[in-house]
Amino acid sequence: MHSAVFLIEFGAIILGLGLLGRFAGRFQFSPIPLYLLAGLAFGKGGLLPLGASEEFVAIGAEIGVILLLLMLGLEYTASDLVSNLKTQYPAGLVDFALNAVPGAVAALLLGWGPVAAVVLAGVTWISSSGVIAKVLGDLGRLGNRETPVILSILVLEDLAMAVYLPIVTALLAGVSLAAGSATLAIALGVAGAVLFIALRYGRVISRFVSSDDPEKLLLVVLGLTLLVAGIAQQLQVSAAVGAFLVGIALSGEVAEGAHTLLSPLRDLFAAVFFVFFGLHTDPASIPPVLLPALALAVVTALTKIATGYWAARRAGVGVKGRWRAGGTLVARGEFSIVIAGLAVTAGIEPQMGPLATAYVLLLVVIGPLTARWTEPIAQRLARRRRTAVATAPAARDAVPAVEVLEPVDDGPAGRA
């Protein structure tokens, strides 16, 4: 009987996701907000809470994030990663300054104390790699010139989590400096080892994985990805980083074949991930913290747009690409929830969980919209400003402005 209920529930979820995806496709917008709203409707405190399939959905959500990052890694080579990280590390510093500080300040203003400030800084700092990967695919931007800039910032954030999470865990647990340092050293060592193997032995890994049989290729790539992601997470490194580096290590025909085979699986489990996020959000917990969460969401949406714009401008991307980069980075997601969950488990601040949930829910809905509309809105405002200047009374006597040619921003930038 339990298995029958599970099949009915999970089948209804998949069918509903398919219908929502078709609806979103008809109106040409990302289905992510619809997936989240569906999760809210069938989660804790929703219209029809699920029971039998919730554990399976949780596992599927983890696989969804891993596959999203694997597919991103397949788009770029190891040399692309190294060159982008070398050139974009200042953008990582700007990202931290603009987006972590508002969270820390908000926690202090709410009277939550310094430890909570460190936690909320992480919640507002880290963009959602899973959401952004899905949005880039939905909008067909994986080959755009601004996409390597976006990926560089995401990778820098994920690698920074290898340092940040052990520090936060030590602060919340109140452990000694020696124990916290040991955990941090292990996390950094594992991240460095995985990156070294991906860069140095990528061709060997590709030859090992390569197969003319699609079935064998799918099994080996999927198994290797899950294995590396699991080991990375067990050693206090992000599973997303592990999956991304596996994708980086694969190249040539192996990468192309894996991309073709895994795309349907990615879309399925990515949709499950967004539903799972909504399932674990109690709608009743959101109204009391909605105003501070909304204020924080507005501020940090603007700071993320500024971060992406600055980073893309520094990389020589044109104006349109700069706005697209900024709008794409707005979404927060899995890492923010994980960080807030650590604080809630430690009993630091009861309102931390609801505030982080409302904040992430707002930005994970707004994020796909800003990714789509930031650039067109910015261009429209710029045209209006130029028109207003041209029609001003003083414009007749003004010296003609010299047109500055912007670099082309729509060329391919992915794996050759």
Side-chain angles (χ1 to χ4, degrees):
M1 185 66 180
H2 180 78
S3 62
V5 174
F6 163 76
L7 291 174
I8 292 171
E9 287 185 354
F10 194 65
I13 291 173
I14 300 302
L15 176 61
L17 292 178
L19 295 176
L20 290 174
R22 290 175 63 179
F23 177 81
R26 177 168 297 181
F27 292 95
Q28 297 184 336
F29 67 91
S30 173
I32 292 173
L34 299 181
Y35 295 159
L36 287 164
L37 293 176
L40 279 175
F42 295 101
K44 299 176 181 178
L47 300 175
L48 186 62
L50 301 178
S53 61
E54 186 170 344
E55 184 176 352
F56 185 84
V57 171
I59 297 172
E62 290 189 36
I63 295 174
V65 175
I66 290 169
L67 289 179
L68 282 168
L69 271 295
L70 169 67
M71 300 296 279
L72 271 183
L74 290 173
E75 294 290 334
Y76 295 90
T77 64
S79 58
D80 292 334
L81 175 66
V82 172
S83 62
N84 287 332
L85 291 181
K86 284 181 178 179
T87 57
Q88 290 299 329
Y89 74 88
L93 298 177
V94 171
D95 180 32
F96 171 78
L98 290 182
N99 297 288
V101 171
V105 170
L108 294 175
L109 290 176
L110 291 169
W112 289 357
V115 175
V118 174
V119 174
L120 195 57
V123 171
T124 59
W125 172 22
I126 305 299
S127 298
S128 172
S129 299
V131 175
I132 292 170
K134 175 66 173 171
V135 168
L136 288 173
D138 288 345
L139 298 178
R141 295 181 181 173
L142 289 174
N144 284 15
R145 284 198 63 205
E146 75 274 6
T147 300
V149 177
I150 296 170
L151 295 183
S152 297
I153 293 174
L154 294 179
V155 171
L156 287 167
E157 288 180 349
D158 285 350
L159 293 175
M161 284 295 96
V163 178
Y164 175 82
L165 286 177
I167 293 175
V168 169
T169 302
L171 287 174
L172 294 175
V175 300
S176 65
L177 179 62
S181 300
T183 303
L184 178 60
I186 292 172
L188 290 176
V190 172
V194 174
L195 181 59
F196 174 79
I197 292 171
L199 295 175
R200 186 69 179 272
Y201 300 104
R203 292 183 179 179
V204 177
I205 296 172
S206 294
R207 286 199 299 268
F208 169 75
V209 170
S210 179
S211 175
D212 294 331
D213 187 337
E215 178 185 352
K216 295 183 177 64
L217 179 62
L218 173 63
L219 292 175
V220 173
V221 172
L222 183 59
L224 179 64
T225 302
L226 295 176
L227 177 64
V228 173
I231 293 173
Q233 185 163 307
Q234 186 69 26
L235 296 173
Q236 304 298 318
V237 181
S238 164
V241 170
F244 181 82
L245 293 176
V246 170
I248 289 290
L250 301 179
S251 60
E253 294 182 0
V254 173
E256 295 176 5
H259 191 283
T260 302
L261 292 171
L262 289 169
S263 292
L265 282 178
R266 174 201 60 187
D267 295 338
L268 169 62
F269 285 106
V272 172
F273 163 72
F274 298 116
V275 169
F276 176 74
F277 184 83
L279 287 176
H280 280 69
T281 302
D282 185 354
S285 68
I286 294 178
V289 295
L290 187 57
L291 286 180
L294 181 59
L296 197 57
V298 170
V299 170
T300 54
L302 295 176
T303 56
K304 274 292 183 183
I305 292 174
T307 299
Y309 187 97
W310 183 87
R313 179 181 180 182
R314 183 175 177 275
V317 178
V319 173
K320 292 182 180 180
R322 298 172 196 172
W323 287 116
R324 288 196 297 265
T328 303
L329 286 169
V330 166
R332 310 310 201 271
E334 58 277 7
F335 269 133
S336 298
I337 293 301
V338 168
I339 294 166
L342 292 174
V344 171
T345 302
I348 296 298
E349 175 54 51
Q351 286 189 313
M352 176 72 76
L355 176 65
T357 299
Y359 169 79
V360 172
L361 187 62
L362 285 169
L363 287 184
V364 87
V365 171
I366 294 171
L369 301 179
T370 59
R372 174 68 179 85
W373 295 106
T374 297
E375 181 259 322
I377 291 174
Q379 292 296 308
R380 184 173 300 176
L381 292 176
R383 284 195 296 270
R384 287 185 179 180
R385 186 164 57 248
R386 288 194 296 267
T387 301
V389 171
T391 56
R396 291 190 301 269
D397 302 322
V399 177
V402 178
E403 183 180 2
V404 179
L405 295 179
E406 294 289 348
V408 178
D409 56 34
D410 292 320
R415 181 186 297 274

